[in-house]
């Protein structure tokens, strides 16, 4: 795409894109027109962080596991689902080798059995997987006061103090909301939240009740600045620390002197915080830079409010207009690789808050994250850790029956 505001040559060169010709500034902090680099090329040219990429490899399977788990738990009286039903959904669930092959890959999570009364194979969760779901449910119920505060903070970042309810539905798991949050969180706190009709038909807006003050809310980055300033070995200038963000880069990413100088210049740049009321937008260079830094502060705060400090770009984009962000959010993440990391694994763009992670794990975990991490550990385990003989015989017989059922279904569904 032409005529798009882009980051300049220095950062893209670091990410493996070579340019001919001379450009004076290496970062987006001074604006330029992207004439040859399309958005897709910009994403493809980013520097890969092997730690986050490995984590996303595991998350690809975790997303599929959770989709099947939700189907199983949808029937509380009989938490199971038939193999032929899952086979019909294989394409939608992205089970490339079929439902049975996928289920048999994770015997620590799924148990396949044959129901003789219904004459077909079914799948249910193992005791270990059921224990994880109970742990997560308990953790979510115990964190309801924290969840209320998260929603208050998100609404406070909107100039109108409201966001579409459908946008909240998109990120309810990321925010650690219970699945009945409309009743257990919104209706139960009618003195804080209010639902009102939107401008479009069948749309609702979630807003803060008049009188609920947003004063005194401090962004997460402010806490980091206080800790940094209190360190005895702090060598950062106070003026720079006042508006700075924590930066970190993966091993192997070379940073030029010019790039470092531009980052330092950006760190000193004043901006309006995510919970402050922005002034009139200025079209000057300084005004555009301040607007971009405010956008960084908003998405930084949003990620800080999520359970796992990560979210799909498509989901956070639902809030863009309501947060007053006029920039392409995906490009914003790419322009600041020291703060965010963008992964494209699993055919989805997912952004991580880099400072929250160390070696692929949250530095400061929470109870909901701990439960979800246990499920991820079961996914990574795959077939390892099973007893050598008995489980293999039992697993092969159940999977064999399920595969036979699935093959028969494919035969009947295939055109003659």
């Amino acid at each position: 795409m032409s005529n798009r505001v882009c980051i300049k040559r220095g950062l893209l060169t670091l990410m493996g894109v070579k340019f001919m010709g001379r450009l004076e500034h290496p970062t987006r902090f001074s604006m330029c027109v992207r004439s040859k680099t399309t958005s897709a090329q910009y994403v493809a040219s980013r520097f890969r962080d092997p730690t986050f990429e490995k984590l996303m490899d595991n998350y690809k399977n975790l997303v599929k596991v959770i989709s099947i788990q939700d189907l199983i738990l949808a029937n509380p009286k009989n938490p199971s689902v038939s193999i032929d039903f899952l086979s019909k959904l294989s394409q939608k669930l992205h089970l490339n080798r079929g439902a049975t092959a996928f289920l048999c890959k994770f015997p620590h999570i799924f148990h396949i059995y044959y129901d003789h009364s219904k004459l077909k194979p079914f799948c249910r969760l193992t005791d270990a997987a059921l224990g994880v779901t109970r742990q997560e449910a308990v953790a979510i119920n115990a964190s309801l006061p924290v969840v209320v505060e998260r929603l208050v903070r998100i609404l406070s970042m909107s100039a109108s103090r409201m966001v579409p309810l459908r946008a909240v539905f998109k990120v309810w798991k990321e925010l650690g909301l219970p699945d009945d949050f409309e009743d257990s969180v919104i209706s139960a706190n009618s003195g804080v939240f209010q639902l009102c009709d939107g401008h479009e038909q069948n749309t609702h807006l979630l807003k803060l009740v008049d009188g609920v003050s947003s004063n005194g809310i401090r962004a997460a980055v402010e806490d980091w600045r206080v800790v940094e300033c209190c360190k005895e070995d702090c060598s950062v200038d106070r003026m720079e620390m006042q508006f700075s963000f924590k930066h970190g880069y993966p091993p192997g990413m070379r940073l030029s002197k010019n790039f470092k100088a531009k980052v330092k210049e950006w760190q000193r740049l004043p901006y309006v915080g995510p919970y402050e009321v922005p002034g009139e937008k200025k079209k000057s260079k300084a005004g555009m830079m301040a607007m971009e830094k405010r956008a960084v502060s908003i998405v930084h705060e949003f990620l800080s409010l999520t359970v796992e400090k990560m979210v799909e770009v498509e989901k956070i984009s639902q809030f863009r207009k309501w947060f007053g962000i006029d920039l392409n959010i995906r490009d914003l993440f790419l322009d600041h690789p020291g703060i965010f990391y963008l992964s494209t694994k699993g055919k989805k763009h997912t952004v991580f808050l880099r400072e929250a992670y160390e070696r692929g794990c949250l530095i400061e975990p929470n109870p909901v994250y701990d439960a979800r991490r246990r499920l991820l550990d079961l996914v990574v385990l795959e077939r390892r850790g099973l007893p050598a003989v008995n489980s293999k015989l039992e697993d092969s017989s159940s999977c064999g029956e399920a595969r036979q059922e699935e093959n028969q279904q494919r035969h009947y569904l295939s055109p003659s």
Side-chain angles (χ1 to χ4, degrees):
M1 302 177 188
S2 61
N3 300 328
R4 296 187 61 184
V5 176
C6 73
I7 192 169
K8 289 204 172 180
R9 183 182 65 177
L11 185 55
L12 288 176
T13 303
L14 291 172
M15 295 179 176
V17 180
K18 296 182 179 180
F19 288 81
M20 300 298 291
R22 187 183 174 199
L23 291 174
E24 295 179 358
H25 303 288
T27 64
R28 183 178 176 171
F29 314 135
S30 64
M31 302 295 190
C32 71
V33 174
R34 179 186 296 156
S35 56
K36 295 183 180 180
T37 307
T38 65
S39 183
Q41 289 172 332
Y42 193 27
V43 172
S45 66
R46 75 195 187 284
F47 191 93
R48 266 71 164 183
D49 189 324
T51 302
F52 284 110
E53 291 299 306
K54 183 178 180 181
L55 179 61
M56 278 306 300
D57 273 331
N58 296 328
Y59 264 103
K60 286 192 302 182
N61 286 325
L62 178 64
V63 171
K64 299 174 185 179
V65 165
I66 292 175
S67 298
I68 298 175
Q69 177 183 271
D70 290 343
L71 290 173
I72 293 173
L73 297 176
N75 183 8
K77 294 182 179 179
N78 182 24
S80 62
V81 64
S82 65
I83 301 301
D84 59 347
F85 177 73
L86 288 178
S87 298
K88 293 176 183 177
L89 297 176
S90 290
Q91 188 172 359
K92 187 175 181 179
L93 296 174
H94 305 291
L95 309 180
N96 299 329
R97 296 179 58 194
T100 304
F102 184 83
L103 296 173
C104 291
K105 187 178 179 182
F106 304 104
H108 293 281
I109 302 173
F110 303 113
H111 174 68
I112 298 176
Y113 65 97
Y114 193 83
D115 190 325
H116 293 281
S117 63
K118 297 182 180 179
L119 300 178
K120 60 174 64 176
F122 279 75
C123 172
R124 61 175 173 82
L125 295 178
T126 62
D127 291 339
L130 283 172
V132 172
T133 60
R134 294 190 194 103
Q135 179 185 345
E136 182 179 355
V138 170
I140 288 175
N141 288 330
S143 64
L144 286 181
V146 179
V147 165
V148 171
E149 182 185 355
R150 285 177 188 152
L151 279 182
V152 169
R153 284 174 172 265
I154 286 176
L155 292 169
S156 298
M157 285 192 286
S158 170
S160 61
R161 291 162 58 90
M162 66 175 68
V163 296
L165 184 62
R166 66 172 181 270
V168 180
F169 266 110
K170 287 273 187 179
V171 294
W172 70 275
K173 279 200 171 184
E174 285 80 355
L175 295 176
L177 294 167
D179 52 8
D180 63 339
F181 73 89
E182 280 190 275
D183 297 323
S184 59
V185 176
I186 297 176
S187 299
N189 294 275
S190 57
V192 181
F193 306 115
Q194 178 184 348
L195 283 176
C196 55
D197 293 331
H199 299 296
E200 301 175 10
Q201 190 176 4
N202 297 326
T203 60
H204 294 86
L205 298 175
L206 178 64
K207 64 174 293 186
L208 280 179
V209 172
D210 295 336
V212 176
S213 176
S214 302
N215 297 330
I217 298 181
R218 192 166 68 174
V221 69
E222 297 287 346
D223 296 331
W224 170 77
R225 291 168 187 163
V226 171
V227 172
E228 287 297 306
C229 285
C230 293
K231 288 183 178 179
E232 294 181 0
D233 58 345
C234 181
S235 58
V236 182
D237 180 78
R238 286 185 176 273
M239 182 59 70
E240 180 179 336
M241 181 59 69
Q242 184 180 358
F243 303 108
S244 64
F245 288 80
K246 185 175 182 179
H247 281 66
Y249 300 93
M253 185 173 183
R254 297 180 180 179
L255 307 178
S256 67
K257 291 182 179 179
N258 204 8
F259 174 79
K260 293 178 182 178
K262 286 297 178 180
V263 171
K264 190 170 185 177
E265 176 189 339
W266 185 84
Q267 291 279 58
R268 292 173 175 266
L269 179 69
Y271 70 98
V272 179
Y275 299 114
E276 300 174 42
V277 179
E280 185 179 351
K281 294 181 181 179
K282 299 178 181 179
K283 296 184 179 180
S284 62
K285 176 183 174 181
M288 294 289 287
M289 291 168 63
M291 182 184 70
E292 185 216 29
K293 192 164 186 179
R294 171 175 165 80
V296 169
S297 72
I298 290 174
V299 294
H300 179 283
E301 182 68 7
F302 189 96
L303 285 168
S304 299
L305 296 174
T306 60
V307 170
E308 299 171 84
K309 316 307 177 193
M310 58 176 279
V311 69
E312 290 177 23
V313 175
E314 183 271 331
K315 292 181 179 180
I316 193 174
S317 296
Q318 301 289 323
F319 297 88
R320 188 172 67 90
K321 182 183 75 172
W322 299 88
F323 289 161
I325 299 176
D326 294 333
L327 305 169
N328 184 312
I329 287 187
R330 183 178 60 180
D331 287 356
L332 193 71
F333 297 139
L334 293 171
D335 292 346
H336 297 275
I339 304 175
F340 312 109
Y341 182 74
L342 182 73
S343 174
T344 60
K345 292 279 186 179
K347 299 180 181 179
K348 296 178 181 178
H349 291 186
T350 305
V351 62
F352 292 84
L353 184 60
R354 186 181 287 279
E355 69 191 61
Y357 278 83
E358 184 176 13
R359 296 181 179 179
C361 299
L362 275 190
I363 297 174
E364 298 180 2
N366 54 75
V368 180
Y369 168 82
D370 287 337
R372 294 177 181 176
R373 188 75 192 195
R374 277 189 61 197
L375 184 61
L376 179 62
D377 291 340
L378 292 178
V379 170
V380 175
L381 201 56
E382 292 188 353
R383 300 183 59 83
R384 293 186 292 272
L386 292 175
V389 180
N390 295 334
S391 64
K392 186 177 289 187
L393 291 174
E394 180 183 353
D395 183 66
S396 62
S397 61
S398 59
C399 287
E401 291 173 341
R403 284 197 181 97
Q404 185 177 4
E405 180 82 13
E406 190 174 25
N407 291 334
Q408 287 177 355
Q409 185 184 25
R410 287 178 180 174
H411 174 73
Y412 291 133
L413 291 176
S414 60
S416 55

